[in-house]
Amino acid sequence: MFIIKLKWQSIIAAIAITMACLFMPMEVHAHGVNINYTSNVEIEIIATYDSGIPMAGAQVAVYAPDDPTTPWLTGSCDEEGRFSFAPDTARPGIWDVQVRLAGHGGIIHIPVGGDTTTADGQVGFSHLQIGIMSACVIWGSTGTALYFSKRRKT
């Protein structure tokens, strides 16, 4: 009876910790990346770290919508973290721009020409993807709790 009670306590604790992590806003002190863009005839991006420091010299790879695996253009940011390019307007869709420097980086999706809205009108993770990721986190936390609760018995 004590073992079953301990197992349920572990599961409830794992679920409570997971829910707390999902719904409590926390400040993270990692090197995040902010990439913003402006678009006229040419697109200019500005890549900075979360601290606002420019990603000077960062490597940039631009991917066309019809070939997301091969860079359409490569280059590097200037001292202010700026990079400009003129996309081929004959290739409308979502262009991906990846910026990387010393293990830090990010990717931004830029709509160019034509109808570039997604089916649900948003760019990023869909509600289904977020739900699946949340379920995986809960499943993993529960499994970890069960693993450690089983180790205590022996």
Side-chain angles (χ1 to χ4, degrees), residues 21-139:
C21 290
L22 289 175
F23 297 111
M24 289 179 49
M26 293 183 274
E27 187 173 334
V28 178
H29 296 284
H31 287 284
V33 174
N34 295 321
I35 306 171
N36 298 314
Y37 76 96
T38 57
S39 175
N40 293 321
V41 173
E42 88 176 0
I43 294 173
E44 177 182 77
I45 66 163
I46 302 172
T48 60
Y49 292 108
D50 284 342
S51 62
I53 298 172
M55 296 181 69
Q59 296 178 349
V60 180
V62 179
Y63 296 89
D66 58 350
D67 188 5
T69 58
T70 306
W72 177 78
L73 176 70
T74 59
S76 60
C77 292
D78 66 8
E79 294 299 317
E80 297 177 350
R82 296 177 187 273
F83 180 81
S84 299
F85 69 98
D88 183 358
T89 56
R91 300 164 87 174
I94 305 295
W95 288 66
D96 296 330
V97 179
Q98 183 181 40
V99 179
R100 302 188 65 76
L101 179 65
H104 301 285
I107 191 164
I108 188 169
H109 312 286
I110 302 172
V112 174
D115 183 17
T116 55
T117 57
T118 58
D120 58 359
Q122 69 179 31
V123 176
F125 297 115
S126 68
H127 295 291
L128 177 63
Q129 291 171 321
I130 292 170
I132 290 172
M133 288 187 288
S134 299
C136 289
V137 168
I138 292 169
W139 180 261

